[in-house]
């Protein structure tokens, strides 16, 4: 919560490091829209077998059905891989 007092040195260092990390990433990665990052995040969670309900909550979806419909291709692949194991 903002207090109106100057920021501590620590917060400045954190911001500076974050800015440096983002700059380094920009040089090595193609541009990606925010939605693309969000989609990648959801897919990585699902691939790590995070429950669909948890992924839905992280994404702020109104229902688990919305998440299931959007990421059905990932869960279908996971089911095929489970059968093969």
């Amino acid at each position: 919560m903002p207090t109106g007092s100057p920021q501590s040195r620590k917060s400045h260092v954190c911001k500076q490091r974050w800015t440096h990390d983002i700059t380094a990433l920009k040089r090595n990665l193609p541009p990606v829209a925010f939605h693309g990052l969000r989609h990648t995040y959801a897919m990585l969670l699902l691939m790590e077998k995070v429950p669909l309900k948890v992924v839905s909550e992280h994404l702020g979806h109104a229902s688990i059905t919305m998440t299931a419909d959007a990421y059905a291709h990932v869960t279908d692949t996971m089911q095929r891989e489970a059968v093969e194991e």
Side-chain angles (χ1 to χ4, degrees), residues 17-80:
R17 180 178 179 151
W18 179 81
T19 303
H20 172 73
D21 291 345
I22 294 298
T23 302
L25 284 173
K26 283 182 179 178
R27 287 190 199 126
N28 298 321
L29 296 173
V32 178
F34 176 78
H35 184 78
L37 293 175
R38 178 179 161 90
H39 185 70
T40 300
Y41 172 69
M43 288 181 36
L44 290 172
L45 289 176
L46 291 169
M47 290 168 49
E48 289 296 319
K49 298 181 178 40
V50 173
L52 191 60
K53 176 68 174 164
V54 174
V55 175
S56 181
E57 290 170 356
H58 278 232
L59 296 174
H61 287 166
S63 72
I64 194 171
T65 305
M66 185 175 183
T67 310
D69 289 345
Y71 298 99
H73 63 284
V74 178
T75 54
D76 289 345
T77 301
M78 290 169 55
Q79 287 177 358
R80 280 195 299 277

